[in-house]
Amino acid sequence: MKLAVVGGGSTYTPELIDGFARMRQTLPISELVLIDPAADRLDLVGGLARRIFAKQGHDGRIVTTSGLDAGVAGADAVLLQLRVGGQAAREKDETWPLECGCVGQETTGAGGLAKALRTVPVVLDIAERVRRAAPDAWIIDFTNPVGIVTRALLQAGHRAVGLCNVAIGLQRRFAKLLDVAPADVHLDHVGLNHLTWETGVRLGGPDGADMLPKLLAEHGDAIADELRLPCPLLDRLGVVPSYYLRYFYAHDEVVREMRTKPSRAAEVAEMERRLLRMYADPALDEKPDLLAERGGAFYSEAAVDLAASLLGGAGSPVQVVNTLNNGTLPFLPDDAVVEVQARVGTGGAAPLAVPDLDPLYAGLIAAVTAYEDLALEAALRGGRDRVFKALLAHPLIGQYAYAEKLTDRLVTHNREHLAWA
Protein backbone atom coordinates (compact mmCIF):
# COMPACT_ATOMS: atom_id res chain seq x y z
CA MET A 1 0.00 0.00 0.00
CA LYS A 2 1.35 3.40 -0.99
CA LEU A 3 0.41 6.61 0.80
CA ALA A 4 1.54 10.12 -0.06
CA VAL A 5 1.50 13.15 2.23
CA VAL A 6 1.40 16.55 0.53
CA GLY A 7 2.89 18.96 3.03
CA GLY A 8 5.14 16.21 4.37
CA GLY A 9 7.73 18.73 5.52
CA SER A 10 5.38 20.02 8.23
CA THR A 11 6.81 19.91 11.73
CA TYR A 12 3.66 18.01 12.66
CA THR A 13 4.42 15.10 10.30
CA PRO A 14 6.27 13.07 12.98
CA GLU A 15 2.94 12.77 14.83
CA LEU A 16 1.49 11.21 11.68
CA ILE A 17 4.54 8.95 11.29
CA ASP A 18 4.24 7.77 14.88
CA GLY A 19 0.61 6.79 14.23
CA PHE A 20 1.52 4.94 11.05
CA ALA A 21 4.20 3.04 12.96
CA ARG A 22 2.04 2.15 15.97
CA MET A 23 -1.01 1.18 13.89
CA ARG A 24 0.74 -0.71 11.10
CA GLN A 25 -1.59 -3.70 11.50
CA THR A 26 -4.57 -1.43 10.81
CA LEU A 27 -2.91 0.33 7.88
CA PRO A 28 -0.05 -1.76 6.38
CA ILE A 29 1.98 0.79 4.44
CA SER A 30 4.72 -0.49 2.15
CA GLU A 31 5.70 2.95 0.80
CA LEU A 32 5.17 6.39 2.31
CA VAL A 33 6.05 9.44 0.25
CA LEU A 34 6.51 12.81 1.96
CA ILE A 35 6.09 15.64 -0.57
CA ASP A 36 7.09 19.24 0.11
CA PRO A 37 8.81 22.07 -1.81
CA ALA A 38 10.76 23.09 1.32
CA ALA A 39 13.75 20.79 0.85
CA ASP A 40 15.55 21.75 4.07
CA ARG A 41 12.55 21.01 6.28
CA LEU A 42 11.72 17.88 4.32
CA ASP A 43 15.20 16.43 4.86
CA LEU A 44 14.95 16.93 8.62
CA VAL A 45 11.42 15.55 8.89
CA GLY A 46 12.19 12.65 6.55
CA GLY A 47 15.24 11.66 8.55
CA LEU A 48 13.29 11.58 11.79
CA ALA A 49 10.44 9.70 10.09
CA ARG A 50 12.81 6.92 9.01
CA ARG A 51 14.26 6.69 12.51
CA ILE A 52 10.77 6.43 14.06
CA PHE A 53 9.85 3.63 11.64
CA ALA A 54 13.11 1.82 12.38
CA LYS A 55 12.74 2.09 16.14
CA GLN A 56 9.17 0.77 16.05
CA GLY A 57 10.02 -2.05 13.66
CA HIS A 58 8.08 -0.79 10.65
CA ASP A 59 9.62 -2.08 7.42
CA GLY A 60 7.84 0.39 5.13
CA ARG A 61 9.92 2.55 2.80
CA ILE A 62 9.88 6.33 3.34
CA VAL A 63 10.62 8.53 0.34
CA THR A 64 11.01 12.31 0.37
CA THR A 65 10.56 14.42 -2.74
CA SER A 66 9.63 17.89 -3.97
CA GLY A 67 8.06 16.39 -7.08
CA LEU A 68 4.29 16.16 -6.67
CA ASP A 69 3.44 14.17 -9.80
CA ALA A 70 6.04 11.46 -9.22
CA GLY A 71 5.33 11.43 -5.51
CA VAL A 72 1.60 10.69 -5.83
CA ALA A 73 1.90 8.35 -8.85
CA GLY A 74 0.22 5.05 -8.06
CA ALA A 75 -0.76 6.11 -4.53
CA ASP A 76 -3.72 4.45 -2.85
CA ALA A 77 -4.41 7.52 -0.72
CA VAL A 78 -3.09 11.09 -0.63
CA LEU A 79 -3.23 13.15 2.56
CA LEU A 80 -3.31 16.93 2.21
CA GLN A 81 -1.87 18.94 5.10
CA LEU A 82 -0.51 22.09 3.48
CA ARG A 83 -0.46 25.71 4.55
CA VAL A 84 -0.31 28.17 1.66
CA GLY A 85 1.80 31.13 2.76
CA GLY A 86 3.10 29.35 5.86
CA GLN A 87 3.00 30.75 9.37
CA ALA A 88 3.70 34.25 8.01
CA ALA A 89 0.31 34.28 6.27
CA ARG A 90 -1.33 32.83 9.37
CA GLU A 91 0.18 35.63 11.46
CA LYS A 92 -1.57 38.15 9.23
CA ASP A 93 -4.87 36.24 9.35
CA GLU A 94 -4.77 36.49 13.11
CA THR A 95 -3.92 40.20 13.32
CA TRP A 96 -5.50 42.41 10.65
CA PRO A 97 -9.12 41.43 11.51
CA LEU A 98 -8.48 42.73 15.03
CA GLU A 99 -8.00 46.21 13.54
CA CYS A 100 -11.74 46.14 12.76
CA GLY A 101 -12.77 44.67 16.10
CA CYS A 102 -13.31 41.20 14.65
CA VAL A 103 -11.78 37.92 15.75
CA GLY A 104 -8.48 37.06 14.09
CA GLN A 105 -8.30 33.31 13.55
CA GLU A 106 -7.00 31.03 10.80
CA THR A 107 -10.28 29.20 10.08
CA THR A 108 -13.01 31.41 11.53
CA GLY A 109 -14.19 34.82 10.32
CA ALA A 110 -12.17 37.03 8.00
CA GLY A 111 -8.90 35.19 8.60
CA GLY A 112 -10.57 31.93 7.70
CA LEU A 113 -11.84 33.43 4.47
CA ALA A 114 -8.34 34.62 3.60
CA LYS A 115 -7.01 31.12 4.14
CA ALA A 116 -9.76 29.64 1.97
CA LEU A 117 -8.99 32.08 -0.87
CA ARG A 118 -5.29 31.18 -0.76
CA THR A 119 -5.86 27.47 -0.37
CA VAL A 120 -8.72 26.30 -2.59
CA PRO A 121 -7.04 26.99 -5.96
CA VAL A 122 -3.82 25.28 -4.83
CA VAL A 123 -5.64 22.22 -3.50
CA LEU A 124 -7.72 21.88 -6.66
CA ASP A 125 -4.56 21.99 -8.78
CA ILE A 126 -3.00 19.28 -6.60
CA ALA A 127 -6.15 17.17 -6.82
CA GLU A 128 -6.22 17.35 -10.61
CA ARG A 129 -2.63 16.14 -10.71
CA VAL A 130 -3.51 13.33 -8.32
CA ARG A 131 -6.40 12.38 -10.59
CA ARG A 132 -3.99 12.02 -13.51
CA ALA A 133 -1.24 10.19 -11.63
CA ALA A 134 -3.38 8.03 -9.34
CA PRO A 135 -7.00 8.07 -10.59
CA ASP A 136 -8.25 5.58 -7.98
CA ALA A 137 -6.62 7.29 -5.00
CA TRP A 138 -8.66 8.67 -2.12
CA ILE A 139 -7.84 12.23 -1.08
CA ILE A 140 -7.99 12.80 2.68
CA ASP A 141 -8.09 16.51 3.40
CA PHE A 142 -6.75 17.83 6.69
CA THR A 143 -6.01 21.25 5.17
CA ASN A 144 -8.02 24.06 6.73
CA PRO A 145 -10.63 25.34 6.33
CA VAL A 146 -11.55 21.67 5.94
CA GLY A 147 -15.25 22.15 5.21
CA ILE A 148 -14.74 24.64 2.38
CA VAL A 149 -11.74 22.79 0.92
CA THR A 150 -13.55 19.44 1.01
CA ARG A 151 -16.59 20.97 -0.66
CA ALA A 152 -14.36 22.35 -3.42
CA LEU A 153 -12.86 18.89 -3.94
CA LEU A 154 -16.20 17.11 -4.03
CA GLN A 155 -17.76 19.75 -6.26
CA ALA A 156 -14.93 19.09 -8.75
CA GLY A 157 -15.66 15.36 -8.68
CA HIS A 158 -12.70 14.16 -6.65
CA ARG A 159 -12.71 11.09 -4.38
CA ALA A 160 -12.30 13.06 -1.18
CA VAL A 161 -13.19 13.00 2.50
CA GLY A 162 -12.41 15.76 4.99
CA LEU A 163 -10.88 15.08 8.39
CA CYS A 164 -10.62 17.08 11.62
CA ASN A 165 -9.26 16.07 15.02
CA VAL A 166 -11.86 17.84 17.19
CA ALA A 167 -14.17 14.83 17.46
CA ILE A 168 -11.48 12.26 18.21
CA GLY A 169 -10.02 14.57 20.85
CA LEU A 170 -13.39 14.84 22.61
CA GLN A 171 -13.96 11.10 22.26
CA ARG A 172 -10.64 10.40 23.99
CA ARG A 173 -11.40 12.97 26.70
CA PHE A 174 -14.87 11.56 27.42
CA ALA A 175 -13.56 7.98 27.44
CA LYS A 176 -11.02 8.93 30.07
CA LEU A 177 -13.66 10.61 32.22
CA LEU A 178 -15.96 7.58 31.90
CA ASP A 179 -13.06 5.13 32.41
CA VAL A 180 -13.86 3.18 29.25
CA ALA A 181 -12.01 2.41 26.01
CA PRO A 182 -12.27 5.15 23.36
CA ALA A 183 -13.78 2.65 20.93
CA ASP A 184 -16.73 2.28 23.32
CA VAL A 185 -17.60 5.99 23.05
CA HIS A 186 -19.90 7.06 20.21
CA LEU A 187 -20.47 10.80 19.75
CA ASP A 188 -23.66 12.39 18.51
CA HIS A 189 -21.47 14.91 16.70
CA VAL A 190 -23.19 17.39 14.40
CA GLY A 191 -22.49 20.60 12.55
CA LEU A 192 -19.91 21.99 10.16
CA ASN A 193 -16.15 21.80 10.41
CA HIS A 194 -15.10 23.92 13.40
CA LEU A 195 -18.76 24.57 14.19
CA THR A 196 -19.95 21.41 15.97
CA TRP A 197 -21.74 20.26 19.07
CA GLU A 198 -21.83 16.94 20.93
CA THR A 199 -25.53 16.39 21.57
CA GLY A 200 -24.99 12.92 23.00
CA VAL A 201 -22.17 10.70 24.25
CA ARG A 202 -23.20 7.06 23.92
CA LEU A 203 -21.62 3.87 25.18
CA GLY A 204 -21.27 0.97 22.79
CA GLY A 205 -22.63 2.52 19.62
CA PRO A 206 -25.21 4.86 18.10
CA ASP A 207 -28.04 3.28 20.11
CA GLY A 208 -26.17 3.07 23.42
CA ALA A 209 -27.00 4.83 26.68
CA ASP A 210 -26.43 8.59 26.58
CA MET A 211 -23.79 9.52 29.15
CA LEU A 212 -23.72 13.24 28.34
CA PRO A 213 -25.96 14.27 31.29
CA LYS A 214 -23.67 12.32 33.63
CA LEU A 215 -20.56 13.91 32.15
CA LEU A 216 -21.97 17.42 32.53
CA ALA A 217 -23.19 16.75 36.06
CA GLU A 218 -19.95 15.21 37.31
CA HIS A 219 -17.30 16.87 35.15
CA GLY A 220 -18.97 20.02 33.84
CA ASP A 221 -16.46 22.40 35.41
CA ALA A 222 -13.47 20.56 33.92
CA ILE A 223 -15.06 20.36 30.47
CA ALA A 224 -16.02 24.04 30.59
CA ASP A 225 -12.50 25.02 31.65
CA GLU A 226 -11.02 23.22 28.65
CA LEU A 227 -13.47 24.98 26.34
CA ARG A 228 -12.89 28.29 28.14
CA LEU A 229 -16.62 28.75 28.44
CA PRO A 230 -18.66 29.11 31.66
CA CYS A 231 -20.08 25.90 33.08
CA PRO A 232 -23.56 27.42 33.55
CA LEU A 233 -23.69 27.92 29.78
CA LEU A 234 -23.07 24.21 29.18
CA ASP A 235 -25.71 23.39 31.79
CA ARG A 236 -28.26 25.58 30.02
CA LEU A 237 -27.41 24.18 26.59
CA GLY A 238 -27.17 20.57 27.67
CA VAL A 239 -24.56 19.93 24.96
CA VAL A 240 -20.80 20.24 24.59
CA PRO A 241 -19.79 22.71 21.86
CA SER A 242 -16.42 22.48 20.18
CA TYR A 243 -13.89 25.01 21.45
CA TYR A 244 -14.29 26.92 18.18
CA LEU A 245 -17.77 27.97 19.35
CA ARG A 246 -16.06 30.27 21.82
CA TYR A 247 -15.36 32.60 18.89
CA PHE A 248 -19.15 32.92 18.51
CA TYR A 249 -20.37 32.65 22.09
CA ALA A 250 -17.69 34.98 23.55
CA HIS A 251 -16.52 36.93 20.50
CA ASP A 252 -15.80 40.28 22.12
CA GLU A 253 -14.02 38.65 25.05
CA VAL A 254 -11.80 36.72 22.64
CA VAL A 255 -10.98 39.89 20.67
CA ARG A 256 -9.91 41.65 23.87
CA GLU A 257 -7.65 38.72 24.74
CA MET A 258 -6.11 38.57 21.28
CA ARG A 259 -5.23 42.24 21.40
CA THR A 260 -3.16 41.78 24.56
CA LYS A 261 -0.99 38.76 23.76
CA PRO A 262 1.16 37.32 20.96
CA SER A 263 -0.70 35.58 18.16
CA ARG A 264 -0.98 31.82 18.05
CA ALA A 265 0.93 31.96 14.75
CA ALA A 266 3.89 33.61 16.52
CA GLU A 267 3.81 30.94 19.21
CA VAL A 268 3.69 28.14 16.64
CA ALA A 269 6.48 29.68 14.55
CA GLU A 270 8.78 29.70 17.58
CA MET A 271 7.74 26.14 18.42
CA GLU A 272 8.53 25.06 14.87
CA ARG A 273 12.03 26.53 15.09
CA ARG A 274 12.65 24.51 18.27
CA LEU A 275 11.18 21.36 16.75
CA LEU A 276 13.35 21.59 13.64
CA ARG A 277 16.45 21.90 15.80
CA MET A 278 15.34 18.71 17.60
CA TYR A 279 14.64 16.91 14.34
CA ALA A 280 18.20 17.64 13.20
CA ASP A 281 19.56 15.49 16.06
CA PRO A 282 20.42 12.08 14.53
CA ALA A 283 19.88 10.45 17.93
CA LEU A 284 16.20 11.47 18.08
CA ASP A 285 14.03 8.51 17.08
CA GLU A 286 10.63 9.38 18.53
CA LYS A 287 8.27 12.32 18.39
CA PRO A 288 9.34 14.88 21.03
CA ASP A 289 7.01 15.91 23.85
CA LEU A 290 7.02 19.48 22.53
CA LEU A 291 5.05 18.29 19.50
CA ALA A 292 1.98 17.83 21.72
CA GLU A 293 1.82 21.63 22.09
CA ARG A 294 1.80 22.09 18.30
CA GLY A 295 -1.89 21.15 18.01
CA GLY A 296 -3.69 18.42 16.10
CA ALA A 297 -3.83 15.86 18.91
CA PHE A 298 -4.85 12.36 17.77
CA TYR A 299 -4.74 13.43 14.12
CA SER A 300 -2.56 10.44 13.30
CA GLU A 301 -5.02 7.96 14.78
CA ALA A 302 -7.95 9.56 12.98
CA ALA A 303 -6.02 9.58 9.70
CA VAL A 304 -5.02 5.92 10.00
CA ASP A 305 -8.58 4.91 10.86
CA LEU A 306 -10.05 6.82 7.93
CA ALA A 307 -7.47 5.66 5.37
CA ALA A 308 -7.84 2.04 6.52
CA SER A 309 -11.62 2.11 6.08
CA LEU A 310 -11.47 3.81 2.68
CA LEU A 311 -8.92 1.26 1.48
CA GLY A 312 -10.81 -1.79 2.71
CA GLY A 313 -8.73 -2.43 5.80
CA ALA A 314 -9.40 -2.69 9.51
CA GLY A 315 -10.63 0.85 10.18
CA SER A 316 -13.66 1.63 12.31
CA PRO A 317 -16.94 1.31 10.42
CA VAL A 318 -18.30 4.58 11.88
CA GLN A 319 -16.19 7.75 12.06
CA VAL A 320 -16.67 11.51 12.22
CA VAL A 321 -15.79 12.98 8.84
CA ASN A 322 -16.56 15.89 6.54
CA THR A 323 -18.68 14.78 3.61
CA LEU A 324 -21.69 15.76 1.49
CA ASN A 325 -24.86 16.55 3.39
CA ASN A 326 -27.22 14.69 1.03
CA GLY A 327 -30.26 15.32 3.22
CA THR A 328 -28.58 14.62 6.56
CA LEU A 329 -29.44 18.11 7.76
CA PRO A 330 -32.65 18.86 5.83
CA PHE A 331 -32.34 22.63 6.19
CA LEU A 332 -29.05 22.60 4.18
CA PRO A 333 -28.52 21.96 0.46
CA ASP A 334 -27.45 18.45 -0.46
CA ASP A 335 -24.06 19.64 -1.72
CA ALA A 336 -23.13 21.34 1.56
CA VAL A 337 -20.36 19.60 3.50
CA VAL A 338 -21.27 18.62 7.05
CA GLU A 339 -19.21 17.13 9.88
CA VAL A 340 -21.09 14.16 11.32
CA GLN A 341 -20.80 10.47 12.14
CA ALA A 342 -20.72 8.43 8.95
CA ARG A 343 -20.30 4.85 7.83
CA VAL A 344 -16.99 4.71 6.00
CA GLY A 345 -15.94 2.08 3.49
CA THR A 346 -14.35 1.65 0.09
CA GLY A 347 -17.24 3.56 -1.47
CA GLY A 348 -16.69 6.62 0.71
CA ALA A 349 -18.62 8.11 3.63
CA ALA A 350 -22.38 7.84 4.18
CA PRO A 351 -23.67 10.04 7.04
CA LEU A 352 -25.77 8.49 9.78
CA ALA A 353 -29.20 9.95 10.46
CA VAL A 354 -29.22 12.99 12.73
CA PRO A 355 -32.21 13.85 14.97
CA ASP A 356 -33.92 17.19 14.42
CA LEU A 357 -31.70 19.99 15.65
CA ASP A 358 -32.72 22.75 18.01
CA PRO A 359 -33.04 26.07 16.09
CA LEU A 360 -30.30 27.44 18.34
CA TYR A 361 -27.81 25.24 16.48
CA ALA A 362 -29.58 24.81 13.15
CA GLY A 363 -29.79 28.57 12.65
CA LEU A 364 -26.06 29.12 13.14
CA ILE A 365 -25.21 26.13 10.95
CA ALA A 366 -27.43 27.50 8.17
CA ALA A 367 -25.90 30.97 8.42
CA VAL A 368 -22.32 29.70 8.30
CA THR A 369 -23.18 27.38 5.41
CA ALA A 370 -24.44 30.41 3.48
CA TYR A 371 -21.14 32.15 4.21
CA GLU A 372 -19.24 29.03 3.04
CA ASP A 373 -21.22 29.06 -0.23
CA LEU A 374 -20.09 32.62 -0.86
CA ALA A 375 -16.54 31.94 0.34
CA LEU A 376 -16.15 29.07 -2.10
CA GLU A 377 -17.54 31.22 -4.92
CA ALA A 378 -14.96 33.89 -4.08
CA ALA A 379 -12.16 31.31 -3.93
CA LEU A 380 -13.10 29.84 -7.31
CA ARG A 381 -13.95 33.01 -9.24
CA GLY A 382 -12.19 35.79 -7.35
CA GLY A 383 -13.21 39.43 -7.25
CA ARG A 384 -13.48 42.05 -4.55
CA ASP A 385 -17.30 42.05 -4.59
CA ARG A 386 -17.42 38.30 -3.93
CA VAL A 387 -15.04 38.69 -1.01
CA PHE A 388 -17.18 41.52 0.37
CA LYS A 389 -20.38 39.47 0.12
CA ALA A 390 -18.80 36.50 1.91
CA LEU A 391 -17.63 38.74 4.74
CA LEU A 392 -21.00 40.50 4.98
CA ALA A 393 -22.71 37.09 5.27
CA HIS A 394 -20.47 35.83 8.07
CA PRO A 395 -22.31 35.88 11.43
CA LEU A 396 -19.22 37.31 13.15
CA ILE A 397 -19.06 40.31 10.78
CA GLY A 398 -22.41 41.17 9.21
CA GLN A 399 -22.01 44.96 9.00
CA TYR A 400 -21.20 46.61 5.70
CA ALA A 401 -18.65 49.02 7.17
CA TYR A 402 -16.70 46.15 8.74
CA ALA A 403 -17.01 44.08 5.56
CA GLU A 404 -15.60 46.95 3.49
CA LYS A 405 -12.61 47.47 5.78
CA LEU A 406 -11.92 43.74 6.07
CA THR A 407 -12.10 43.31 2.30
CA ASP A 408 -9.48 46.02 1.82
CA ARG A 409 -7.18 44.44 4.39
CA LEU A 410 -7.69 40.90 3.11
CA VAL A 411 -6.77 41.84 -0.44
CA THR A 412 -3.82 43.95 0.65
CA HIS A 413 -2.30 41.22 2.81
CA ASN A 414 -2.94 38.37 0.35
CA ARG A 415 -2.33 39.97 -3.04
CA GLU A 416 0.62 37.69 -3.84
CA HIS A 417 -1.60 34.62 -3.38
CA LEU A 418 -4.63 35.89 -5.31
CA ALA A 419 -4.27 35.67 -9.08
CA TRP A 420 -7.20 38.02 -9.66
CA ALA A 421 -5.88 40.73 -7.34
Side-chain angles (χ1 to χ4, degrees):
M1 181 183 297
K2 176 179 177 179
L3 263 69
V5 180
V6 179
S10 167
T11 56
Y12 200 72
T13 296
E15 165 66 26
L16 191 61
I17 300 300
D18 177 72
F20 288 156
R22 287 186 292 105
M23 302 174 71
R24 54 188 176 276
Q25 300 304 317
T26 302
L27 188 68
I29 300 171
S30 57
E31 182 178 1
L32 176 64
V33 184
L34 304 180
I35 305 166
D36 204 294
D40 52 345
R41 293 168 63 105
L42 188 59
D43 286 345
L44 295 178
V45 172
L48 175 57
R50 295 185 185 97
R51 296 193 297 272
I52 291 173
F53 263 31
K55 180 178 182 179
Q56 298 197 32
H58 196 303
D59 59 3
R61 175 175 176 243
I62 295 180
V63 178
T64 57
T65 181
S66 61
L68 176 69
D69 299 308
V72 301
D76 296 287
V78 178
L79 278 69
L80 305 182
Q81 56 170 36
L82 56 146
R83 182 183 293 279
V84 179
Q87 294 298 331
R90 178 181 180 175
E91 168 80 18
K92 293 177 181 178
D93 293 345
E94 294 178 347
T95 52
W96 55 262
L98 297 176
E99 298 169 7
C100 300
C102 296
V103 67
Q105 211 276 330
E106 64 164 337
T107 64
T108 302
L113 176 60
K115 194 172 196 302
L117 298 182
R118 294 193 303 268
T119 304
V120 166
V122 174
V123 166
L124 288 178
D125 176 68
I126 291 169
E128 287 298 331
R129 294 164 71 178
V130 170
R131 178 146 52 190
R132 293 194 295 269
D136 295 326
W138 278 102
I139 294 176
I140 297 173
D141 179 60
F142 194 66
T143 295
N144 281 320
V146 167
I148 295 173
V149 172
T150 301
R151 186 169 182 179
L153 288 166
L154 292 171
Q155 184 172 293
H158 296 290
R159 287 161 55 86
V161 180
L163 181 64
C164 182
N165 70 314
V166 167
I168 194 172
L170 286 170
Q171 180 202 42
R172 298 302 196 266
R173 175 61 172 147
F174 294 151
K176 185 175 182 180
L177 293 174
L178 294 169
D179 195 25
V180 299
D184 290 334
V185 174
H186 174 96
L187 300 179
D188 291 344
H189 180 99
V190 62
L192 310 176
N193 180 242
H194 290 185
L195 193 85
T196 52
W197 297 262
E198 311 309 320
T199 60
V201 179
R202 302 183 184 278
L203 288 185
D207 299 320
D210 185 7
M211 305 304 291
L212 182 55
K214 173 183 171 70
L215 284 166
L216 290 174
E218 297 180 4
H219 305 285
D221 287 335
I223 295 170
D225 284 348
E226 291 181 4
L227 300 174
R228 300 188 65 197
L229 289 170
C231 189
L233 174 63
L234 302 192
D235 291 338
R236 294 175 73 179
L237 297 178
V239 304
V240 175
S242 95
Y243 49 82
Y244 286 92
L245 264 298
R246 185 168 185 260
Y247 299 122
F248 292 82
Y249 293 161
H251 176 272
D252 293 353
E253 179 183 339
V254 172
V255 168
R256 287 193 295 270
E257 291 174 1
M258 287 181 166
R259 284 172 162 170
T260 59
K261 65 179 184 179
S263 69
R264 175 62 177 165
E267 294 174 354
V268 171
E270 174 57 28
M271 202 178 303
E272 288 192 335
R273 286 189 284 270
R274 294 169 59 193
L275 286 168
L276 290 171
R277 288 195 293 269
M278 293 178 181
Y279 296 171
D281 181 356
L284 183 66
D285 58 6
E286 60 186 13
K287 63 177 184 179
D289 291 340
L290 178 62
L291 193 55
E293 300 176 26
R294 172 69 177 79
F298 305 111
Y299 160 43
S300 62
E301 295 177 25
V304 167
D305 210 15
L306 178 54
S309 292
L310 291 171
L311 299 176
S316 304
V318 175
Q319 301 172 38
V320 173
V321 297
N322 286 263
T323 192
L324 288 175
N325 179 47
N326 282 339
T328 307
L329 300 181
F331 53 88
L332 297 184
D334 285 346
D335 66 349
V337 165
V338 294
E339 186 172 294
V340 294
Q341 291 276 9
R343 294 199 179 277
V344 183
T346 55
L352 301 184
V354 173
D356 290 342
L357 277 181
D358 188 300
L360 180 62
Y361 315 121
L364 186 52
I365 290 170
V368 175
T369 297
Y371 151 75
E372 290 188 347
D373 289 346
L374 295 166
L376 182 54
E377 183 76 0
L380 294 173
R381 301 179 62 190
R384 189 184 185 284
D385 283 350
R386 292 188 180 93
V387 173
F388 170 80
K389 289 176 181 177
L391 291 168
L392 188 63
H394 200 292
L396 295 183
I397 300 166
Q399 298 185 53
Y400 76 88
Y402 287 170
E404 286 282 10
K405 293 176 183 177
L406 290 168
T407 299
D408 290 341
R409 286 162 172 77
L410 186 154
V411 173
T412 297
H413 288 292
N414 290 276
R415 198 178 298 277
E416 65 181 296
H417 300 290
L418 306 177
W420 52 268

